[in-house]
Amino acid sequence: MTKDVITLTQKMPDPLTVLAGLLSGGPDKLVGAEGDGAVVRLCDEQGRPLVSIEAPLLVQVRGEAQRLLGASEPPVPYWWTEARATTGVTEGEKLAGTFAARLATLLGGTAWPPQAARSLAVVKTDGVSAVPAPAAAQPAVDVLTDKVAVVIQDRPVVAMTAWLADAFRAAADAELGLQIVTPPGTRLSPAVRAGLPGWPSRWVVQDEKAGYYDGLSGAVLEWRDGLFMPVQSPGGTPDDPRAPVAESFTRDVTDTGERQLAVSYRTVHPADDRLVLGGSLEAVWREITGEPPAGWGTEEPVNLPWSLRQLTDMAHERAPEPTWLVVVGSPERPGLATVRISRTKGGVEEDVTLAFGYGPGEEIPQDAVPRAAEVLATRHDLQSMLVQIRKARRDLSVPPHFEGPGVPYAFVLGAEEVRSLPSDRARRTPLAQPPRELGPRTRPALYYPFPGDPSDLSGWQHFEQLMRHLKGDQAA
């Protein structure tokens, strides 16, 4: 199992301190660099990596170490430095731990996991050899086949780190699937869950009884023909294997009283050099929580304080290429959004997937949903919006067991979409409750409410009925 060791320090790791850490393998250990110096490596005698060290990241957003590592953190701002040991080389894990221990000692910080960084002594690596790196520029990739890239992660929450983001891009460029393998106690960040492509990509969970299973569907898996695939049951076919579901996926699934308010929407803005991006997300966040987002970034941990200007500047610099972002709230009110900004023929699109977490006894501010919808419809060029309520974890992480689907609470159709439908189709719906107009009466958006009870899955039937009606399906 590949080991990640992370050092949290208030002081920036300066070159001399990093050098002292790199000497954990002795003065004659080879050092290499990749990505214009963004990744430094300790290598064996053949130049193959034993440990890869990412450039330190300045974290200015409170709560990220607790969210992703379950660890206490220094006061912000602090530096987050990751060392990743090569799979299957015990000395590599020791090197990563010693590197982290030296950084923490010299800079007065802490390391995660604590047990990995207890020794400052030089690690004996004479004669130690790493297997050839499957993807030399991708330290996160542990196994590479002609079908998938496999990433092995052993941390509380698999986050969209710089390592993993690089692996996502490399797999996509090579037209490969990405399969993430974790121990049973690991969870996914919503950012990783949202970014995981379709088949053959999947989350593979190790299990004592089943061997491996899919962390999102529960299907029992096996390694076959160069990738993890569902076990085929008697009577199954390659196209429909009817794989058994792992007992661990459905065991102890109880209602803890935790809930999530999930919001997904798209805005389409006219292309304009004066356009400010991120304003729609801030508006929704303020309506739901009473405060703006805490921070944003292009990876996790999220490291930058919330800033519409900086976000907009970066998206402009990357245009016409799309920009992907992750946005978080304060630890007191868990919230996380992924945002994709892209230039299209229609203008500049913002696709947002957002969720807020609530514990037992905490009320979801359902009255804020219509207000948020109206702000989007009247000020931020809303195209469409779907709001759901889910029985799911307050901390928003994705566990490797069954969580029921969300149930629609409301759907909003933007003003331009309402106008584009023939006659008064958008207003004459098959729903028991008529839509509510948002914005000016001459050009309104329409708000369609649903029961929103997460125990009543019939909400999806009403939603699908509405979608068929809006598309002109006579069967609706």
Side-chain angles (χ1 to χ4, degrees):
M1 178 72 70
T2 302
K3 296 293 184 182
D4 298 342
V5 185
I6 298 163
T7 312
L8 309 176
T9 59
Q10 290 237 254
K11 296 180 181 178
M12 178 181 176
D14 58 89
L16 287 178
T17 304
V18 173
L19 179 61
L22 291 172
L23 290 174
S24 58
D28 57 346
K29 189 55 53 187
L30 296 176
V31 177
E34 297 287 346
D36 296 326
V39 177
V40 178
R41 291 170 164 176
L42 288 174
C43 303
D44 65 11
E45 295 174 356
Q46 286 72 44
R48 294 176 298 206
L50 295 169
V51 176
S52 300
I53 299 158
E54 185 81 8
L57 181 70
L58 181 63
V59 177
Q60 304 174 70
V61 180
R62 186 169 57 91
E64 286 297 88
Q66 175 61 41
R67 179 175 74 90
L68 299 176
L69 303 176
S72 58
E73 64 186 16
V76 293
Y78 61 89
W79 294 89
W80 177 303
T81 307
E82 294 208 16
R84 182 174 173 81
T86 297
T87 301
V89 182
T90 303
E91 288 76 11
E93 298 175 15
K94 292 179 180 179
L95 284 170
T98 301
F99 171 83
R102 291 185 174 194
L103 251 63
T105 300
L106 292 170
L107 300 176
T110 59
W112 178 93
Q115 66 273 17
R118 291 178 176 170
S119 174
L120 301 175
V122 171
V123 178
K124 294 182 179 180
T125 57
D126 294 341
V128 172
S129 179
V131 297
Q138 300 301 323
V141 174
D142 295 289
V143 178
L144 190 67
T145 74
D146 60 350
K147 298 181 179 69
V148 296
V150 178
V151 174
I152 305 174
Q153 291 273 276
D154 184 11
R155 47 204 298 173
V157 177
V158 177
M160 189 61 82
T161 60
W163 306 111
L164 192 56
D166 285 346
F168 268 83
R169 285 189 289 269
D173 292 344
E175 298 184 349
L176 298 173
L178 183 71
Q179 298 192 335
I180 302 173
V181 181
T182 72
T186 295
R187 292 166 276 123
L188 296 188
S189 160
V192 175
R193 172 66 183 92
L196 198 62
W199 186 91
S201 300
R202 63 174 76 243
W203 175 22
V204 181
V205 180
Q206 296 175 328
D207 184 67
E208 288 186 0
K209 288 187 176 181
Y212 299 94
Y213 70 90
D214 189 299
L216 300 177
S217 71
V220 176
L221 305 172
E222 63 181 354
W223 181 260
R224 189 171 74 247
D225 299 329
L227 74 166
F228 284 98
M229 298 179 65
V231 171
Q232 188 171 316
S233 294
T237 66
D239 292 332
D240 181 15
R242 302 177 188 175
V245 174
E247 180 185 344
S248 299
F249 186 72
T250 56
R251 186 178 57 220
D252 300 328
V253 177
T254 58
D255 186 356
T256 62
E258 294 175 288
R259 297 289 186 271
Q260 291 179 12
L261 179 66
V263 182
S264 56
Y265 68 86
R266 173 178 292 179
T267 60
V268 183
H269 311 288
D272 190 316
D273 289 340
R274 295 170 295 178
L275 174 64
V276 176
L277 297 166
S280 65
L281 180 58
E282 180 175 315
V284 172
W285 215 292
R286 287 184 181 277
E287 290 293 342
I288 301 296
T289 70
E291 60 185 15
W296 71 285
T298 57
E299 60 195 47
E300 294 178 292
V302 171
N303 66 315
L304 298 171
W306 180 248
S307 169
L308 294 178
R309 179 184 59 79
Q310 291 181 351
L311 187 157
T312 301
D313 288 346
M314 190 191 69
H316 277 309
E317 290 172 3
R318 293 190 173 188
E321 294 298 316
T323 296
W324 182 91
L325 308 170
V326 58
V327 180
V328 297
S330 66
E332 292 74 27
R333 171 56 57 219
L336 188 143
T338 57
V339 183
R340 183 178 175 83
I341 301 169
S342 53
R343 180 70 181 268
T344 68
K345 293 180 180 179
V348 179
E349 294 187 2
E350 291 181 282
D351 285 288
V352 178
T353 301
L354 165 65
F356 298 103
Y358 300 86
E362 292 182 316
E363 289 211 12
I364 294 177
Q366 299 180 15
D367 58 335
V369 173
R371 296 199 304 269
E374 182 144 23
V375 170
L376 290 180
T378 56
R379 303 180 191 173
H380 296 284
D381 307 300
L382 178 68
Q383 185 180 75
S384 63
M385 174 183 182
L386 175 64
V387 182
Q388 304 174 57
I389 296 177
R390 300 183 61 220
K391 292 181 180 179
R393 294 175 61 103
R394 182 182 187 271
D395 65 10
L396 306 177
S397 64
V398 183
H401 62 69
F402 177 77
E403 282 189 323
V407 173
Y409 179 78
F411 176 74
V412 185
L413 197 63
E416 286 301 317
E417 276 55 47
V418 171
R419 292 182 63 185
S420 69
L421 294 178
S423 185
D424 58 347
R425 182 190 299 168
R427 293 175 176 80
R428 289 185 304 102
T429 74
L431 302 180
Q433 191 171 349
R436 167 183 166 182
E437 292 190 354
L438 304 176
R441 298 185 64 181
T442 56
R443 190 174 170 274
L446 294 179
Y447 178 95
Y448 303 88
F450 299 97
D453 181 356
S455 300
D456 184 4
L457 296 182
S458 65
W460 278 113
Q461 298 175 357
H462 299 311
F463 175 74
E464 291 169 359
Q465 191 177 18
L466 174 62
M467 292 298 100
R468 290 195 300 269
H469 169 78
L470 294 177
K471 292 177 182 178
D473 187 341
Q474 298 301 318

